[in-house]
Amino acid sequence: MEQEKEIVSKNFIEQIIDKDLEEGHYTTVHTRFPPEPNGYLHIGHAKSILLNYGLAKKYNGKFNLRFDDTNPTKEKTEFVESIIADVKWLGADWEDRLFFASNYFDQMYEAAVKLIKKGKAYVCDLSAEEIREYRGTLTEPGKESPYRNRSVEENLTLFENMKNGMYEDGSKVLRAKIDMASPNINMRDPVIYRVARMSHHNTGDKWCIYPMYDFAHPIEDAIEGVTHSICTLEFEDHRPLYDWVVRELEYEHPPKQIEFAKLYLTNVVTGKRYIKRLVEEGIVDGWDDPRLVSIAALRRRGFTPESIQKFVDLCGISKSNSSVDYAMLEYCIREDLKLKRPRMMAVLDPVKLIIDNYPEDQIEYLDVEMNLENPELGMRKVPFGRELYIDREDFMENPPKKYFRLFPGNEVRLMGAYFVKCVSFEKDENGNVTEIHCTYDPETKCGTGFTGRKVKGTIHWVAAKTAIKAEVRLYENIIDEEKGVYNEDGSLNLNPNSLTVLKDCLLEPEFAKAQPYDSFQFVRQGYFCVDAKDSKPEALVFNRIVSLKSSFKLPK
Ligand code: ATP
Ligand code: MG
């Protein structure tokens, strides 16, 4: 029974791997994550990273981080560095196996020569447009290039000349000689090398020919000894070409490509090109703007590697594309922080509360649990005095029914402290409440076991004298994919409320110790994280990671 259960819970990739090991196709498992350094990584990449790393770990195998940097146009060192930082942060450990595909350019060149010598590749002079025309369509077979039957000798010379810079960009390409009548268009003599004078971030100006992805990728995998080359569904139609390359190049233990569905999230954009546009147009504060779902942004917002691992686990691995509810990601971070992080008091929209019968200059230090549900986090001292601040929405002059917070004549508990009863309040000329006056009952102190009477509401507060000021940023999604990414004029359809900045928030003094990336529950308000970019010890800035409430239910 136990064993059966285990088999059932394996995803389809694990089932393939099990079979491969059982049948002796491979003796070990070796995976890789192969990002192209042309942008920052996002939540979708996190899924791929954790999947590949997780499989290597599970099967006691190896995991490589390899930059797929064979197309210099959009690649930058900034992206290489950010990707390394993100993969490390997620906890995927490549040990000493960090590779760059561009370091294999010599081997790729040799591989191309090998194909030419086998009569499996030829230099073609057709223009890009002609190649497209000759390729045919889904319903019509392609036409053979007039250069297809060049001799091996001629091809070797021409290809060497390509490498030596004797031809204009785009004037000649090397093509695999496969089958112009194949029902799979990818197999109709695909281009495998092109002439392009571009400086490469790693190899500089050494090369003026560059390999195409479909040729380069299987070679990269084979060179590194990768066994299972896991990629996303759009490459399914390319698999026959992948297999052709590793077969014709006669690798002893050819890698195997397996595809799974990309991760999409509702209400947000994940595609690199959307995020890039938001960054380049200056709409967001860089690739790590907390409204984005790049890994850098999630980290800055306050997500933890554990929460992302949990999210990816809940998503599972599938063969059909679908979108996951953004609320599930929020659920995962709440679950992760719930017991781990302190719950302290912060007032986001302060209004003064004065306790008329409390001694003028007295400060009292109350002992309060860091986290009621986790005693291991210990206690803290919270100063209490005659003048406090509470959140504006916790007082109403004319409350509706079932409002249990503060209103004239009503008594509530100040969290961790005393009962207070509202006796009066003051307003300014605009009708805004400026001061609320209460009296307190010394008998009702928290922790003394008072049972004399009950109140229906408990509100949070901070003492005026010791409060620290902070800026708090509240976020909503910046683009809602379901509502449409673009406006009619091609501009981005942005949510005008994606960022709310609260400048005058007041926190209890314990927050003074907060460091960048530290996160907390602000009681009754949500989870917040110290902004690593803008927060300073004397001017704290917090990001709201997520509010406390959700309608999200974990699928059974
Ligand atoms: P994007 O579509 O956002 O530009 P990409 O696929 O071009 O991403 P790469 O750097 O080429 O980005 O991808 C690196 C790896 O991450 C690839 O193996 C790719 O299949 C995987 N990957 C990319 N997006 C997702 C996603 N949404 N879900 C799961 N895996 C993904
Ligand atoms: Mg890509």
Side-chain angles (χ1 to χ4, degrees), residues 297-335:
L298 291 168
R299 173 169 64 232
R300 180 170 167 202
R301 174 107 174 229
F303 282 82
T304 56
E306 292 83 357
S307 65
I308 292 174
Q309 176 79 58
K310 187 179 176 80
F311 174 70
V312 163
D313 290 345
L314 284 177
C315 289
I317 305 297
S318 124
K319 265 246 168 216
S320 55
N321 282 319
S322 65
S323 278
V324 177
D325 198 341
Y326 183 82
M328 191 158 102
L329 183 59
E330 298 190 318
Y331 164 85
C332 292
I333 185 66
R334 274 191 210 102
E335 283 297 300

Coordinates of all heavy atoms in Angstrom, one line a residue, residues 297-335:
A297 N 12.1 41.0 -7.5 CA 11.0 41.8 -7.0 C 10.3 41.1 -5.9 O 9.9 41.7 -4.9 CB 10.0 42.1 -8.1
L298 N 10.1 39.8 -6.0 CA 9.4 39.0 -5.0 C 10.3 39.0 -3.7 O 9.8 39.2 -2.6 CB 9.2 37.6 -5.5 CG 8.2 37.4 -6.6 CD1 8.2 36.0 -7.2 CD2 6.8 37.7 -6.1
R299 N 11.6 38.9 -3.9 CA 12.5 39.0 -2.7 C 12.4 40.3 -2.0 O 12.3 40.4 -0.8 CB 13.9 38.7 -3.2 CG 15.0 38.9 -2.2 CD 16.3 38.3 -2.6 NE 16.9 39.1 -3.7 CZ 17.3 38.5 -4.9 NH1 17.2 37.2 -5.0 NH2 17.7 39.3 -5.8
R300 N 12.4 41.4 -2.9 CA 12.3 42.7 -2.3 C 11.0 43.0 -1.6 O 10.9 43.7 -0.6 CB 12.6 43.8 -3.4 CG 12.5 45.2 -2.9 CD 13.0 46.2 -3.9 NE 12.7 47.5 -3.6 CZ 12.6 48.5 -4.4 NH1 12.8 48.3 -5.7 NH2 12.3 49.7 -4.0
R301 N 10.0 42.4 -2.2 CA 8.6 42.6 -1.6 C 8.5 41.9 -0.2 O 7.7 42.3 0.6 CB 7.6 42.0 -2.6 CG 6.2 42.0 -2.1 CD 5.3 43.0 -2.8 NE 3.9 42.9 -2.4 CZ 3.0 42.9 -3.3 NH1 3.2 43.0 -4.6 NH2 1.7 42.8 -2.9
G302 N 9.3 40.8 -0.1 CA 9.3 40.1 1.2 C 8.9 38.6 1.1 O 8.8 37.9 2.1
F303 N 8.8 38.1 -0.1 CA 8.6 36.7 -0.3 C 9.9 35.9 0.1 O 11.0 36.5 0.1 CB 8.2 36.3 -1.7 CG 6.8 36.6 -2.1 CD1 6.4 37.9 -2.4 CD2 5.8 35.7 -2.0 CE1 5.1 38.2 -2.7 CE2 4.5 36.0 -2.3 CZ 4.1 37.3 -2.6
T304 N 9.7 34.7 0.6 CA 10.9 33.9 1.0 C 11.1 32.8 0.1 O 10.1 32.4 -0.6 CB 10.6 33.3 2.4 OG1 9.4 32.5 2.3 CG2 10.4 34.4 3.5
P305 N 12.3 32.2 0.0 CA 12.5 31.1 -0.9 C 11.6 29.9 -0.5 O 11.1 29.2 -1.3 CB 14.0 30.7 -0.6 CG 14.6 31.9 0.0 CD 13.5 32.7 0.7
E306 N 11.3 29.8 0.8 CA 10.4 28.7 1.3 C 9.0 28.9 0.7 O 8.4 27.9 0.3 CB 10.4 28.7 2.8 CG 11.7 28.3 3.5 CD 12.6 29.4 3.7 OE1 12.4 30.5 3.2 OE2 13.7 29.2 4.3
S307 N 8.6 30.1 0.7 CA 7.2 30.3 0.2 C 7.1 30.0 -1.3 O 6.1 29.5 -1.8 CB 6.7 31.7 0.5 OG 7.5 32.7 -0.3
I308 N 8.2 30.3 -2.0 CA 8.2 30.0 -3.5 C 8.3 28.5 -3.7 O 7.6 28.0 -4.6 CB 9.2 30.8 -4.2 CG1 8.8 32.3 -4.1 CG2 9.4 30.4 -5.6 CD1 9.8 33.3 -4.5
Q309 N 9.1 27.9 -2.9 CA 9.2 26.4 -3.0 C 7.8 25.8 -2.8 O 7.3 24.9 -3.5 CB 10.2 25.8 -2.0 CG 10.3 24.3 -2.0 CD 11.1 23.8 -3.1 OE1 12.3 24.1 -3.3 NE2 10.5 22.9 -3.9
K310 N 7.1 26.2 -1.8 CA 5.8 25.7 -1.4 C 4.8 25.9 -2.6 O 4.0 25.1 -2.9 CB 5.3 26.4 -0.1 CG 4.0 25.8 0.4 CD 3.6 26.5 1.7 CE 2.3 26.1 2.2 NZ 2.4 24.8 2.9
F311 N 4.9 27.1 -3.1 CA 4.0 27.5 -4.2 C 4.3 26.6 -5.4 O 3.3 26.0 -6.0 CB 4.3 29.0 -4.6 CG 3.6 29.4 -5.9 CD1 2.2 29.6 -5.8 CD2 4.3 29.7 -7.0 CE1 1.5 30.0 -7.0 CE2 3.6 30.1 -8.2 CZ 2.2 30.3 -8.1
V312 N 5.5 26.4 -5.8 CA 5.9 25.5 -6.9 C 5.4 24.1 -6.6 O 4.9 23.4 -7.5 CB 7.4 25.6 -7.1 CG1 7.9 24.5 -8.0 CG2 7.8 27.0 -7.7
D313 N 5.6 23.6 -5.4 CA 5.1 22.3 -5.1 C 3.6 22.2 -5.3 O 3.1 21.2 -5.8 CB 5.4 21.9 -3.6 CG 6.9 21.7 -3.5 OD1 7.7 21.6 -4.5 OD2 7.4 21.7 -2.3
L314 N 2.8 23.2 -4.8 CA 1.4 23.1 -4.9 C 0.9 23.2 -6.4 O -0.1 22.6 -6.8 CB 0.8 24.3 -4.2 CG 0.7 24.2 -2.7 CD1 0.1 25.5 -2.1 CD2 -0.2 23.0 -2.2
C315 N 1.7 23.9 -7.2 CA 1.3 24.0 -8.6 C 1.4 22.7 -9.3 O 0.7 22.3 -10.2 CB 2.3 25.0 -9.4 SG 2.0 26.7 -8.9
G316 N 2.5 21.9 -8.9 CA 2.6 20.6 -9.6 C 3.2 20.7 -11.0 O 3.4 21.9 -11.5
I317 N 3.5 19.6 -11.6 CA 4.1 19.6 -13.0 C 3.0 19.1 -13.9 O 2.4 18.0 -13.6 CB 5.3 18.7 -13.0 CG1 6.3 19.1 -11.9 CG2 5.9 18.7 -14.4 CD1 6.9 20.4 -12.1
S318 N 2.8 19.8 -15.0 CA 1.8 19.3 -15.9 C 2.2 19.4 -17.4 O 3.2 20.1 -17.7 CB 0.4 20.0 -15.6 OG -0.1 20.6 -16.7
K319 N 1.4 18.8 -18.2 CA 1.7 18.8 -19.7 C 0.7 19.7 -20.4 O 0.8 19.8 -21.6 CB 1.5 17.4 -20.2 CG 2.8 16.6 -20.3 CD 3.2 16.3 -21.7 CE 4.7 15.8 -21.9 NZ 5.4 16.3 -23.0
S320 N -0.2 20.4 -19.7 CA -1.1 21.3 -20.4 C -1.1 22.7 -19.7 O -1.0 22.8 -18.5 CB -2.5 20.7 -20.4 OG -2.9 20.5 -19.1
N321 N -1.1 23.7 -20.6 CA -1.0 25.1 -20.1 C -2.2 25.5 -19.3 O -3.3 25.2 -19.7 CB -0.7 26.0 -21.2 CG 0.7 26.0 -21.7 OD1 1.6 25.9 -20.9 ND2 0.9 26.0 -23.0
S322 N -2.0 26.2 -18.2 CA -3.1 26.7 -17.4 C -2.5 27.8 -16.5 O -1.3 27.9 -16.3 CB -3.8 25.7 -16.6 OG -2.9 25.2 -15.6
S323 N -3.4 28.6 -16.0 CA -3.0 29.7 -15.1 C -3.3 29.4 -13.6 O -4.3 28.8 -13.3 CB -3.7 31.0 -15.4 OG -3.1 31.6 -16.5
V324 N -2.3 29.8 -12.8 CA -2.5 29.5 -11.4 C -3.0 30.9 -10.8 O -2.5 31.9 -11.1 CB -1.2 29.1 -10.7 CG1 -1.3 28.9 -9.2 CG2 -0.7 27.8 -11.4
D325 N -3.9 30.8 -9.8 CA -4.4 31.9 -9.1 C -3.3 32.6 -8.3 O -2.6 32.0 -7.5 CB -5.5 31.5 -8.2 CG -6.4 32.6 -7.7 OD1 -6.0 33.8 -7.9 OD2 -7.5 32.3 -7.3
Y326 N -3.2 33.9 -8.5 CA -2.2 34.7 -7.8 C -2.4 34.5 -6.3 O -1.4 34.5 -5.5 CB -2.2 36.2 -8.2 CG -1.2 37.0 -7.5 CD1 0.1 37.1 -8.0 CD2 -1.5 37.8 -6.3 CE1 1.1 37.9 -7.4 CE2 -0.5 38.5 -5.7 CZ 0.8 38.6 -6.3 OH 1.7 39.3 -5.6
A327 N -3.6 34.4 -5.9 CA -3.9 34.2 -4.5 C -3.2 33.0 -3.8 O -3.0 33.0 -2.6 CB -5.4 34.1 -4.3
M328 N -2.9 32.0 -4.7 CA -2.2 30.9 -4.1 C -0.8 31.2 -3.7 O -0.3 30.7 -2.7 CB -2.2 29.7 -5.2 CG -1.7 28.4 -4.6 SD -2.2 27.0 -5.6 CE -0.7 26.7 -6.4
L329 N -0.2 32.1 -4.5 CA 1.2 32.6 -4.1 C 1.1 33.4 -2.7 O 1.9 33.2 -1.8 CB 1.7 33.5 -5.2 CG 3.1 34.1 -5.0 CD1 4.1 32.9 -4.9 CD2 3.5 35.0 -6.2
E330 N 0.0 34.2 -2.6 CA -0.2 34.9 -1.3 C -0.4 34.0 -0.2 O 0.1 34.2 0.9 CB -1.4 35.9 -1.5 CG -1.1 36.9 -2.6 CD -2.2 38.0 -2.6 OE1 -3.4 37.7 -2.4 OE2 -1.9 39.2 -2.7
Y331 N -1.2 32.9 -0.5 CA -1.4 31.9 0.6 C -0.1 31.3 1.1 O 0.1 31.1 2.3 CB -2.4 30.8 0.0 CG -2.4 29.5 0.8 CD1 -3.3 29.4 1.9 CD2 -1.6 28.5 0.5 CE1 -3.3 28.3 2.6 CE2 -1.6 27.3 1.2 CZ -2.5 27.2 2.3 OH -2.5 26.0 3.0
C332 N 0.8 31.0 0.1 CA 2.0 30.4 0.5 C 2.9 31.3 1.4 O 3.6 30.8 2.3 CB 2.8 30.0 -0.8 SG 2.0 28.6 -1.6
I333 N 2.9 32.6 1.1 CA 3.8 33.4 1.9 C 3.1 33.6 3.3 O 3.8 33.6 4.3 CB 4.1 34.8 1.2 CG1 5.1 35.6 2.1 CG2 2.9 35.6 0.9 CD1 6.5 35.0 2.2
R334 N 1.8 33.7 3.4 CA 1.2 33.8 4.7 C 1.5 32.6 5.5 O 1.8 32.7 6.7 CB -0.4 33.9 4.5 CG -0.9 35.3 4.3 CD -2.4 35.2 4.4 NE -2.9 36.3 3.6 CZ -3.5 36.1 2.4 NH1 -3.6 34.8 1.9 NH2 -3.9 37.1 1.7
E335 N 1.3 31.4 4.9 CA 1.6 30.2 5.6 C 3.0 30.2 6.1 O 3.3 29.7 7.2 CB 1.4 29.0 4.7 CG -0.1 28.7 4.5 CD -0.8 28.3 5.8 OE1 -0.4 27.3 6.4 OE2 -1.7 29.0 6.2

